[in-house]
Amino acid sequence: MQSKSVDPFFRRRPSAELVAILVVCAVVIVVPVLLNNDYLLNKVARYLVLGMLAMSLSLSWGYAGILNLGQAMSFGLGSYAMAMTLKLKTVPVHTGPQGLPDFMVWNNVTQLPWFWWPFQSQAFAIVAGIAIPAAVAAALGWFMFRGRVTGVYVAIITLAAMVVLNLLIVDQQQYTGGFNGITDLAQLELFGIAFDAYGRSTYYLVAICMTAALLGAYAFTRTKAGLIIQAIRDHESRVRYFGYDVGAYQIAAFAFSAAIAGLAGMLYTIVMEFASPTFLGVQLSLSVVVWCAVGGRQSLLGALLGAILVAGVQGALSESAAFLETWTLVMGALFVLIVLFLPKGLAGLVSSLWALIQQRSFRPLRGVQGIGQTESGA
């Protein structure tokens, strides 16, 4: 009886969403075939990475109900992990004696700091770029969710943690590069392949990682743990009443979201060829929230496409002579309009249209079924 009361649209919605994800990923993979311009290919790769970052926040905010205003912290940690290992592999002209990074030489540092040693291994750096953001998020989540901190207080704590880390990186210039960040990086090399920032190999690396992260996050939301996390978002007290460890599930979702953001940060360093404190700044972190709101925070694909759309429009307006001075006002106005008239974002609009189409397509069939039942009853 319960299955008959469910609308056919909602029964087919997970498969429809998966099909949409696969279509978008396929389009992303074939972009280099259609776009024969290295500069534009690099720009698209950058937008895809930002889309991954927005998708990671959707997992935390939209599915787990945890508004993380410090999502850029995980992104920045991943970025610096990759930058540190690539900096240690630069040609001698960009380093000091014994391979010491140039900014350390300028600040009279004579020995490589102990926390830089492990990053001489590229494999360690790749693992650390994902594991460190996840570990930091899990530790922060342990204090918050075990203490049953919720709502705006979570947003404030995450924002404060990101600001503290940003100030620490800027202040320790002799070890982190300070305001200048870490520049003059070597190219990433994996399995004999050199990933030039403007080459197709780097684009495919970004596209494959984006596809894997998107499918992995989607699969996670369909597991039992993912469904419990969504239930916690809607009715935390009820889930706790049934005996589930609410804090553990929230920590897991929070850490998984941070891991994806860390992976995006590493890719961003490869694409941009530097790491900067702005990668874990307030402006970027708030921008991610805007991207999620525009695309639809309760849709992984919507958040990803929202980030690509907003970042693309922002880049086009900022490079246009007509909107050179007013592009920020235009972006602000678009965001206000979307929040007012599309509270569920673009994904919510698509979902509503799809539900309307399904409703109209099934209405004649239901009418025929009702006539058949009436005749059989007669």
Side-chain angles (χ1 to χ4, degrees), residues 67-113:
L67 177 54
N68 182 3
L69 291 183
Q71 189 73 357
M73 177 174 65
S74 302
F75 184 78
L77 286 172
S79 174
Y80 269 83
M82 179 58 67
M84 289 168 71
T85 190
L86 295 182
K87 184 63 177 178
L88 294 176
K89 298 183 181 300
T90 53
V91 293
V93 70
H94 293 144
T95 58
Q98 301 178 354
L100 202 64
D102 47 11
F103 59 84
M104 292 187 184
V105 176
W106 302 335
N107 288 277
N108 299 320
V109 177
T110 57
Q111 293 184 347
L112 191 68

Side-chain angles (χ1 to χ4, degrees), residues 205-216:
L205 175 65
V206 171
I208 292 172
C209 290
M210 184 214 74
T211 300
L214 184 57
L215 292 175

Side-chain angles (χ1 to χ4, degrees), residues 141-184:
W142 188 88
F143 286 103
M144 292 190 301
F145 305 128
R146 290 299 181 186
R148 299 195 180 183
V149 178
T150 59
V152 68
Y153 300 103
V154 172
I156 294 173
I157 291 173
T158 53
L159 180 63
M162 181 190 65
V163 171
V164 169
L165 181 60
N166 184 285
L167 293 176
L168 180 64
I169 289 178
V170 172
D171 181 68
Q172 299 298 315
Q173 181 176 350
Q174 65 272 30
Y175 302 124
T176 63
F179 283 108
N180 297 324
I182 303 178
T183 58
D184 295 324

